[in-house]
Amino acid sequence: MKRGAALFADGAGRYAYVSAGFSWPAFFLGPLWAVAKRRWYLLVLMLAMELCLWFGSQLAEGLQREPLVLLMGCMELSYLLARGWYGNRWLEASLRQRGYAPVLPGA
């Protein structure tokens, strides 16, 4: 197991493994990652954010304002990076809320 990774268990004997560090699946897949992890509130939040960014990008392109298009591109990149940086933390927090507790060191 990687350094800083953790294994979580709940009272019913179900286990979940959470890696430490950057989450490449969350970075590249976003909402599909949330579905695969069965984190429905994350899915709703990600879809809402992506919808807002999509509308903002469409507005920026429609207005033909280059600084606004650049700003929207930076916002989309920032959102992708935030998903990657915080994906595993969000997963761990949701597991703890659902009654999972760390089993192995690193949590």
Side-chain angles (χ1 to χ4, degrees):
M1 186 163 53
K2 285 193 313 187
R3 182 176 174 217
L7 180 66
F8 288 84
D10 68 353
R14 292 182 298 236
Y15 292 92
Y17 176 77
V18 180
S19 297
F22 196 85
S23 175
W24 289 104
F27 176 80
F28 284 114
L29 302 175
L32 294 176
W33 170 81
V35 169
K37 297 295 183 179
R38 296 183 184 175
R39 301 297 171 246
W40 309 117
Y41 72 95
L42 281 177
L43 172 66
V44 170
L45 293 174
M46 285 181 177
L47 289 176
M49 185 66 178
E50 291 192 10
L51 185 65
C52 290
L53 289 172
W54 182 81
F55 276 121
S57 295
Q58 294 301 312
L59 178 65
E61 289 179 18
L63 294 174
Q64 297 178 351
R65 303 276 190 232
E66 288 79 19
L68 192 55
V69 172
L70 180 62
L71 176 66
M72 288 308 300
C74 290
M75 289 177 66
E76 290 174 9
L77 179 61
S78 298
Y79 170 62
L80 288 173
L81 290 172
R83 280 191 334 212
W85 282 326
Y86 294 105
N88 288 329
R89 293 179 202 168
W90 294 335
L91 179 58
E92 182 178 331
S94 70
L95 287 171
R96 288 180 187 267
Q97 287 176 347
R98 294 177 62 201
Y100 282 75
V103 175
L104 295 177

